[in-house]
Amino acid sequence: MSTPQLPKVAGIDPPVPAPAHTSAPAVPPPPSAPGPSSPASDPRVHDRLAGWVSDLTTLQELTERLARTPDLDAALRELLRAGASLVGAGRGLVTLHPDHHDGHPLTVGLGLGHADIGHIETIPHDRAAPGPYVRLLDDLPPEGDRSGRIHPDIPGEDDLDPRHREVAARLGYAASYALPLESAPAPGGEAGAATAAGRIGAAVWLYDEPAEPTERQRHLAGLYCGYATEHLARLLELTRARRTLSGLREELLPGRLPRVPGVRLAVRHRTGPHGGGDWYDALALPEGALGLAIGGITGSGPGAAAATARLRASLRAYAVMEGEDPVAVLSDLELLLRLTEPARTATALFAYCEPAARKVVVAGAGHCSPLITGADRTEYVETSLSAPLGMLACWEAPSVEIEPAPGETLLFYSDGLLNRAGDAMDRSFTRLHSAAASVPRSARHDPEAVADHVLRKVLPDGPDGPEDDDVVLLVAHFD
């Protein structure tokens, strides 16, 4: 039986290899007092060990802070802050390779404004550089070499481009230290071979006076940037996937709102970071009628997006065939949902509008009641309480008829609008009612202005808040 090997701690191999077989334990010799030259009594050894422990503790704390960053922008700013503390610099910037950011370079500064970064961009560009980074990072070593580049005394370096020294003097820095954001070589691969992440960008830190980081500082910064590269690569993939899903969902929703005499429309839609299942629709129907729909389906991600597309396409067909009866439209939709999406439930609200006759017939299935507002009233439409589609063996609920007066506006909204308000549901309803009632008189006849005002009042921090829910607000103003 083999003796278990000693565990590895913080990336350090065990100092003594494990024996190949079990042998009788040897009797240890009696301890002898350490002599003057014994390593155990050398204070330099203790100082070195204490320094290693301090470095490992610092790296652990910094990498944990980086791992807790919620998004790409926060991760880049944490990378700059941590790197500046490791190398003893005051300012810096980081840029990501355009090939890894959908063709758009992403640059973030620490202690540098947009104008400062613009000045740096005017440094002459080396077209033969191994990547289209910020001009200050053109002279990085080729890919596979993660040693970085030091300019310890920019005003005194004769071989630098004069424009580089001019920009440094304008921005007040006299030295720089740049590191590539590149993953470590793959184990067992060829020299210089990189993992899948490869080189995704670079970071540079700036010193106010001529200086350069020590060997220990460069070593720690290199270890930290190696970890940061892997973390940023994962965030880039996640950001790209979310952007793709969000774009797909936007393509599945109406590209433009229909124009029907007597009514004007506006919509505001924000997708949550995980791609929720909220949707809306507006379609022109025969004889000058208009169909308005809003709803949500359980789940998130590509599956929910695909189910939403199928649900919306089916509702359009049912609205064309029997749109005058919103209850029949939702009944057909419920049957389809149970047959094609048995594991999902959905909320929906469909309104059949006849602008010329001032008549709107609404039926809802587990969805929030619409809100009507105008000069003389602001109130919720009393729709009957009903279950979501797919929850009961057979869905049925009566419709309700509304008669909007000239100049009044109907608001259809998703529950994500209420959830992102951050209050309990009853207080969120009250906030939405107050927001609609407080629309300035001069803006009441503009559905776009009404939508913007309501969102500002209900979501003071903006629609892109911390919640994951989608936000949909569909506004119909009757002339």
Side-chain angles (χ1 to χ4, degrees), residues 18-359:
H21 56 83
T22 304
S23 59
V27 179
S32 58
S37 61
S38 173
S41 63
D42 191 344
R44 292 174 298 179
V45 174
H46 290 283
D47 292 342
R48 181 173 298 179
L49 290 175
W52 288 345
V53 171
S54 176
D55 291 344
L56 291 175
T57 302
T58 300
L59 282 177
Q60 180 183 3
E61 293 175 353
L62 294 178
T63 53
E64 286 179 352
R65 287 176 59 95
L66 182 65
R68 290 195 295 266
T69 52
D71 51 40
L72 186 59
D73 184 75
L76 292 174
R77 297 186 186 281
E78 175 60 26
L79 163 66
L80 285 175
R81 189 203 63 79
S85 67
L86 288 174
V87 302
R91 293 177 290 171
L93 63 90
V94 60
T95 183
L96 295 184
H97 195 293
D99 292 346
H100 297 268
H101 198 66
D102 299 334
H104 301 288
L106 178 62
T107 302
V108 174
L110 173 68
L112 297 171
H114 292 293
D116 298 332
I117 296 176
H119 284 304
I120 292 175
E121 287 285 358
T122 64
I123 297 175
H125 181 45
D126 180 8
R127 298 298 178 183
Y133 302 117
V134 171
R135 308 297 189 256
L136 192 61
L137 307 174
D138 279 342
D139 60 349
L140 282 170
E143 190 164 340
D145 183 352
R146 299 189 298 157
S147 60
R149 184 73 72 198
I150 304 172
H151 290 291
D153 186 8
I154 292 177
E157 293 186 39
D158 297 332
D159 56 344
L160 279 182
D161 189 280
R163 179 58 183 170
H164 191 163
R165 287 196 295 271
E166 179 184 344
V167 170
R170 176 188 292 268
L171 300 184
Y173 68 88
S176 65
Y177 176 52
L179 274 176
L181 297 177
E182 183 175 326
S183 57
E190 299 180 358
T195 62
R199 180 173 291 186
I200 64 173
V204 61
W205 291 275
L206 308 176
Y207 299 85
D208 295 338
E209 301 292 338
E212 62 179 292
T214 64
E215 182 179 355
R216 171 175 166 271
Q217 289 175 322
R218 295 196 300 269
H219 178 67
L220 290 177
L223 292 176
Y224 178 78
C225 285
Y227 172 82
T229 299
E230 303 296 338
H231 183 64
L232 291 174
R234 290 191 292 269
L235 287 178
L236 280 170
E237 289 297 324
L238 180 61
T239 302
R240 181 159 52 246
R242 287 177 174 175
R243 187 182 296 112
T244 301
L245 179 58
S246 177
L248 174 62
R249 285 182 47 78
E250 292 295 335
E251 290 297 324
L252 294 176
L253 293 174
R256 61 182 181 85
L257 297 174
R259 295 183 177 180
V260 176
V263 63
R264 287 177 291 142
L265 303 175
V267 68
R268 297 293 182 268
H269 178 227
R270 301 291 186 274
T271 303
H274 300 295
D278 287 354
W279 55 276
Y280 70 93
D281 203 353
L283 67 156
L285 296 175
E287 300 180 359
L290 174 69
L292 299 175
I294 189 171
I297 195 167
T298 55
S300 61
T308 299
R310 291 191 290 268
L311 200 68
R312 173 175 166 264
S314 301
L315 183 138
R316 282 198 152 210
Y318 299 145
V320 171
M321 291 187 296
E322 45 193 357
E324 296 182 7
D325 186 358
V327 173
V329 172
L330 294 186
S331 296
D332 293 342
L333 197 65
E334 195 270 343
L335 177 60
L336 178 77
L337 185 70
R338 284 196 291 114
L339 293 176
T340 60
E341 305 286 344
R344 298 184 187 273
T345 61
T347 65
L349 186 147
F350 180 73
Y352 177 78
C353 308
E354 294 182 2
R358 300 287 175 189
K359 185 179 75 171

Side-chain angles (χ1 to χ4, degrees), residues 83 86 90 277 346 408 431:
L86 288 174
E408 290 190 326
R431 176 181 289 189

